[in-house]
Amino acid sequence: QCQLNGLWRNEQDSLMEISALRDNGDFQGKYLTQVTLSSGCAHISPLKGIQQQPGEGGWPTFAFTVRWDKFSNATTAFVGQCFVDAGGKETLTTMWLLREAVGSLKEDWKATR
């Protein structure tokens, strides 16, 4: 069984802490990013998400959003799945989309990464 709650570190040394999951799969936590466009300082931002419980023998999927608090006018949505290898190591695999605010519809093309 993969446990989503706890402390996670990614390849860029950013940290994510997920609180205990509620019975309905909701969770919240904090994301401490080391990757910023504005400066080299780390920043803590709130996250909220939900985990879909897997069927028999499956691994849970999840989604969450991070509102980059106080240092960026952007939001990122992550989707992923949690796996456990034969040695018991838990791994989250994710894809993400970051949306920055832009000043006009003409600039929309450059707002999502």
Side-chain angles (χ1 to χ4, degrees):
Q1 178 72 16
C2 198
Q3 298 296 319
L4 200 56
N5 60 305
L7 187 63
W8 297 89
R9 180 182 308 273
N10 72 11
E11 294 88 1
Q12 286 80 37
D13 266 349
S14 295
L15 296 173
M16 176 175 68
E17 183 177 20
I18 296 177
S19 64
L21 279 90
R22 296 188 182 134
D23 288 341
N24 66 357
D26 288 357
F27 61 87
Q28 58 187 6
K30 298 178 232 170
Y31 200 104
L32 174 65
T33 184
Q34 298 289 352
V35 180
T36 67
L37 297 175
S38 59
S39 70
C41 299
H43 298 278
I44 296 175
S45 297
L47 70 82
K48 290 186 179 183
I50 191 158
Q51 175 179 295
Q52 176 68 36
Q53 293 298 338
E56 184 89 15
W59 302 108
T61 58
F62 58 89
F64 63 91
T65 58
V66 177
R67 184 190 68 202
W68 301 112
D69 207 20
K70 298 183 175 85
F71 72 94
S72 175
N73 193 8
T75 302
T76 301
F78 294 81
V79 294
Q81 190 168 3
C82 189
F83 296 95
V84 180
D85 69 15
K89 180 181 177 186
E90 295 174 318
T91 300
L92 303 182
T93 60
T94 62
M95 294 291 289
W96 56 268
L97 286 173
L98 181 135
R99 176 65 187 217
E100 293 181 274
V102 292
S104 70
L105 185 56
K106 284 185 172 185
E107 296 176 291
D108 184 62
W109 66 270
K110 66 180 182 178
T112 303
R113 292 180 225 186

